């Protein structure tokens, strides 16, 4: 390997001064999805290196990790070449200070007392909990009595929490993991020499696509397995053929060189281009060809050309035939024939990937297909609603609603409504049946219109706060401070959350542009 461009960050007890969960320039349009390609396996340092290689800012990452209050280490990164592939290697270098054996509650306390955003804390604690559960199975003891040894050491805390922070920074909404190569031979750990995969790793990848071999030695560590199988799902038949627009690629280097391949973990970050998504063009705008049939009838024919942003002129000719005639036609200035009659009220659809404006820059809304799943139960413990909701979101739900209703025999019940992308419907249904007491559900496909959304970050007396913006035709029509950021800033500044909320909006008004960038 060739080494270059080394940078360091030091771990010490100083609390970070900024909110750790912010994102500045991560992609926001569409559904952010991360594909994990374990070229030579997966380990915690490979995860962190690949995320840094994707563009997660090193200074902000190290500042966030300093907020854990864990000392005794130095975090270092370097650019390396592995079998001709440039990758980022992240090393956690421990000093001579002794580190305690930590139990799960010690690690959870470190994470909970940090200034990390709530989603980061939740992800990291989930990963460590699965590690503890697997170790408990292997050693035949309770989770509370598990000494983490390697996985509870400083390097694993840094790898896991740093990875979760980076995923939140990039606003990753879904993680797909390709089959994991487990390696072969033996590995030395705190309990002696163990077969590969190590017992904890073997338990963590249970029911997950893997293959034996793929190289010598341990290719997937317990930490790497926990990150892959807790935060991701297999790249299975549900995701085969899924349209994906790759925007960034990151390589994280491992510690040992492989014989016949780069010793890297590759991450592909992109946006899912879901089938059925289209743009709604209003106020007499031009529409492009689309694959949906509607009840209103109109014909469009255009022979004018337009640019595609790459200097290539395109000549388009579109004709839409719909299910009924209304007996009169109207023609606009672009040569479109409309089979519905009022000028300026055209509601056509523009496939995603085309221009987001119609003729004259008219506004466009993003339409998408969603699956609506409903059920009503009267025999479920209401305390189970919180974990049920969390599992449904983990499975890919877009929204979960619970409403109290009166059911037969005068019983109070709960009406559950779940929205999800159609391709996630099967997984969501499995979780709904597993986590609730329902015996049956109702399901239907609906269409919903959405504004484009992005994020901006402002500074308050308690630190940075993100604001989510809703954008229509390039103009901001809605702006909302992120609650988790406001809550964290209120704690840091010892201020009421409503004051942080007010400051965030006031700070945005000072910098607000006329148009969204």
């Amino acid at each position: 390997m060739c080494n270059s461009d080394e940078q360091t960050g030091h771990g010490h007890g100083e609390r970070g001064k900024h909110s750790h969960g912010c994102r500045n320039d991560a992609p926001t349009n569409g559904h952010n999805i991360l594909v994990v390609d374990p070229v030579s396996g997966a380990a915690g340092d490979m995860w962190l290196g690949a995320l840094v290689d994707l563009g997660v800012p090193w200074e902000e990452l190290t500042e966030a990790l300093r907020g854990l209050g864990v000392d005794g280490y130095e975090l270092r990164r370097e650019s390396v070449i592995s079998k001709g592939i440039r990758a980022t290697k992240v090393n956690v270098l421990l000093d001579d200070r002794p580190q305690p054996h930590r139990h799960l509650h010690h690690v959870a306390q470190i994470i909970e007392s940090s200034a990390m955003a709530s989603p980061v804390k939740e992800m990291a604690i989930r990963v460590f909990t699965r590690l503890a559960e697997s170790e408990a199975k292997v050693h035949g003891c309770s989770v509370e009595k598990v000494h983490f040894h390697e996985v509870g050491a400083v390097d694993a805390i840094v790898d896991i929490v740093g990875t979760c922070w980076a995923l939140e920074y990039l606003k990753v909404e879904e993680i797909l993991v390709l089959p994991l190569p487990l390696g072969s031979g033996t590995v030395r750990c705190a309990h002696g020499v163990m077969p590969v995969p190590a017992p904890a790793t073997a338990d963590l990848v249970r029911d997950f696509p893997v293959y034996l071999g793929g190289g010598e030695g341990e290719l997937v560590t317990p930490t790497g397995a926990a990150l892959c199988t807790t935060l991701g799902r297999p790249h299975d038949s549900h995701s085969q053929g899924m349209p994906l627009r790759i925007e960034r690629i990151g390589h994280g280097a491992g510690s040992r060189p492989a014989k016949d391949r780069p010793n890297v973990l590759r991450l592909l970050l992109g946006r899912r281009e879901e089938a059925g998504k289209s743009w709604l063009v209003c106020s007499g705008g031009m529409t492009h060809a689309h694959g949906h049939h509607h009840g209103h009838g109109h014909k469009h024919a255009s022979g004018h050309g337009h640019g595609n942003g790459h200097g290539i002129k395109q000549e388009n000719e579109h004709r839409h035939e719909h299910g009924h005639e209304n007996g009169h036609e109207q023609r606009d200035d672009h040569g479109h024939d409309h089979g519905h009659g009022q000028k300026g009220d055209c509601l056509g659809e523009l496939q995603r990937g085309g221009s987001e404006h119609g003729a004259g820059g008219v506004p466009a809304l993003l339409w998408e297909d969603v699956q609506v799943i409903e059920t009503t139960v009267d025999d479920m413990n209401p305390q189970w609603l919180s974990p049920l909701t969390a599992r449904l979101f983990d499975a890919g739900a877009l929204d979960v609603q619970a409403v109290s209703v009166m059911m037969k025999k005068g019983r109070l019940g709960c009406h559950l409504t779940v929205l999800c992308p159609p391709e996630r419907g099967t997984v969501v249904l499995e979780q709904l049946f597993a986590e609730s007491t329902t015996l049956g559900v109702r399901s239907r496909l609906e269409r919903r219109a959405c504004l484009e959304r992005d994020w901006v970050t402002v500074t308050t007396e308690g630190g940075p706060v993100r604001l989510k913006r809703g954008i229509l035709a390039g103009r901001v029509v809605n702006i909302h401070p992120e609650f988790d950021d406001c809550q964290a800033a209120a704690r840091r500044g010892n201020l009421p959350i409503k004051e942080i909320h007010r400051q965030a909006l006031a700070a945005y008004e000072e910098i607000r542009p006329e148009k969204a960038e």
Side-chain angles (χ1 to χ4, degrees):
M1 290 187 178
C2 304
N3 300 339
S4 62
D5 303 332
E6 186 172 299
Q7 295 191 18
T8 63
H10 296 275
H12 50 76
E14 177 188 353
R15 294 289 178 190
K17 298 179 181 178
H18 303 290
S19 174
H20 308 314
C22 300
R23 173 181 56 73
N24 297 318
D25 60 352
T28 57
N29 295 331
H31 183 97
N32 287 345
I33 188 167
L34 188 71
V35 178
V36 180
D37 183 7
V39 178
S40 289
D45 60 340
M46 297 170 78
W47 262 96
L48 197 55
L51 288 164
V52 171
D53 205 51
L54 274 176
V56 171
W58 179 252
E59 293 76 14
E60 293 185 41
L61 172 64
T62 54
E63 174 68 13
L65 290 172
R66 280 195 288 270
L68 290 170
V70 175
D71 55 13
Y73 76 94
E74 178 183 347
L75 192 61
R76 183 175 296 175
R77 71 163 175 177
E78 55 185 330
S79 180
V80 302
I81 303 295
S82 180
K83 290 288 190 296
I85 299 295
R86 192 206 60 79
T88 296
K89 180 75 176 76
V90 172
N91 295 298
V92 181
L93 305 178
L94 303 180
D95 58 27
D96 295 332
R97 280 172 284 184
Q99 293 290 337
H101 278 182
R102 293 183 172 97
H103 297 81
L104 177 61
H105 70 274
H106 295 128
V107 176
Q109 186 176 16
I110 290 172
I111 297 170
E112 285 288 5
S113 61
S114 73
M116 299 282 178
S118 296
V120 179
K121 295 179 181 180
E122 186 271 335
M123 280 192 289
I125 291 174
R126 271 202 295 137
V127 174
F128 269 108
T129 299
R130 287 204 67 224
L131 275 170
E133 291 171 347
S134 292
E135 291 283 352
K137 287 181 186 179
V138 169
H139 299 304
C141 64
S142 66
V143 172
E144 293 76 16
K145 293 183 179 180
V146 169
H147 280 179
F148 277 126
H149 300 295
E150 293 96 344
V151 297
V154 173
D155 54 348
I157 294 175
V158 171
D159 289 340
I160 291 173
V161 178
T163 292
C164 294
W165 185 91
L167 292 171
E168 175 66 12
Y169 180 93
L170 294 170
K171 287 298 166 191
V172 173
E173 299 171 72
E174 188 174 7
I175 300 174
L176 295 176
V177 183
L178 297 173
L180 297 166
L182 298 180
S184 60
T186 59
V187 60
R188 182 173 294 278
C189 60
H191 297 284
V193 177
M194 295 287 176
V196 171
T201 301
D203 183 73
L204 285 162
V205 300
R206 191 194 304 264
D207 297 325
F208 215 85
V210 300
Y211 60 94
L212 300 178
E216 296 180 0
E218 182 183 44
L219 300 186
V220 178
T221 67
T223 301
L227 288 167
C228 288
T229 62
T230 304
L231 305 179
R233 67 178 180 89
H235 184 272
D236 54 17
S237 59
H238 294 291
S239 49
Q240 292 288 347
M242 179 183 65
L244 179 67
R245 181 177 297 175
I246 296 175
E247 295 178 336
R248 303 185 192 177
I249 301 173
H251 296 93
S255 300
R256 296 186 305 173
K259 286 186 177 181
D260 60 348
R261 70 194 68 190
N263 185 23
V264 298
L265 173 73
R266 181 168 66 168
L267 300 181
L268 309 174
L269 179 65
R271 290 186 291 124
R272 178 162 61 188
E273 300 294 334
E274 297 175 7
K277 277 196 173 181
S278 55
W279 292 98
L280 173 67
V281 180
C282 314
S283 303
M286 178 192 71
T287 63
H288 288 235
H290 57 85
H292 302 285
H293 297 280
H294 305 276
H296 61 282
H298 58 278
K299 294 181 180 179
H300 295 195
S302 67
H304 59 281
H306 57 84
N308 64 1
H310 299 282
I312 301 173
K313 187 175 180 181
Q314 296 178 341
E315 298 293 328
N316 296 320
E317 191 150 342
H318 311 286
R319 183 171 300 276
H320 298 188
E321 303 283 353
H322 294 279
H324 64 269
E325 303 283 347
N326 64 6
H328 58 279
E329 292 185 349
Q330 180 174 327
R331 191 170 186 86
D332 64 19
D333 293 337
H334 296 278
H336 291 70
D337 292 321
H338 300 271
H340 46 73
Q342 188 174 0
K343 190 170 184 178
D345 288 340
C346 173
L347 294 179
E349 292 186 0
L350 179 61
Q351 278 291 348
R352 186 161 187 169
S355 170
E356 62 188 54
H357 301 296
V362 298
L365 293 172
L366 176 63
W367 280 86
E368 63 184 4
D369 295 330
V370 292
Q371 187 169 351
V372 182
I373 301 170
E374 294 181 330
T375 188
T376 311
V377 293
D378 63 0
D379 59 349
M380 190 172 87
N381 186 335
Q383 293 175 313
W384 298 348
L385 282 173
S386 179
L388 168 62
T389 300
R391 289 295 183 91
L392 291 172
F393 279 122
D394 288 344
L398 301 170
D399 196 11
V400 181
Q401 304 165 9
V403 179
S404 294
V405 294
M406 182 69 74
M407 299 182 65
K408 62 184 180 182
K409 300 182 181 179
R411 296 173 181 167
L412 279 177
C414 177
H415 182 83
L416 282 168
T417 303
V418 184
L419 302 184
C420 67
E423 66 272 15
R424 299 298 297 162
T426 300
V427 180
V428 169
L429 279 170
E430 289 174 354
Q431 286 298 319
L432 184 56
F433 280 117
E435 296 288 337
S436 74
T437 59
T438 186
L439 298 177
V441 304
R442 298 171 295 280
S443 177
R444 63 185 182 274
L445 286 178
E446 291 188 358
R447 303 271 287 160
R448 71 170 186 172
C450 305
L451 294 175
E452 280 291 284
R453 283 157 282 185
D454 71 358
W455 296 80
V456 294
T457 302
V458 299
T459 301
T460 69
E461 291 180 22
V465 171
R466 292 171 299 161
L467 296 95
K468 181 187 292 185
R469 304 191 303 177
I471 300 168
L472 179 65
R475 298 190 66 84
V476 177
V477 295
N478 286 312
I479 181 80
H480 300 286
E482 180 70 10
F483 177 78
D484 287 341
D485 289 4
C486 289
Q487 192 174 43
R491 284 198 302 265
R492 287 193 303 270
N494 194 26
L495 292 168
I497 193 169
K498 64 181 181 181
E499 173 62 17
I500 296 294
H501 189 278
R502 185 196 66 78
Q503 289 182 16
L505 289 175
Y508 176 76
E509 286 299 320
E510 293 179 1
I511 64 171
R512 180 176 59 148
E514 283 297 315
K515 292 274 187 177
E517 296 179 358

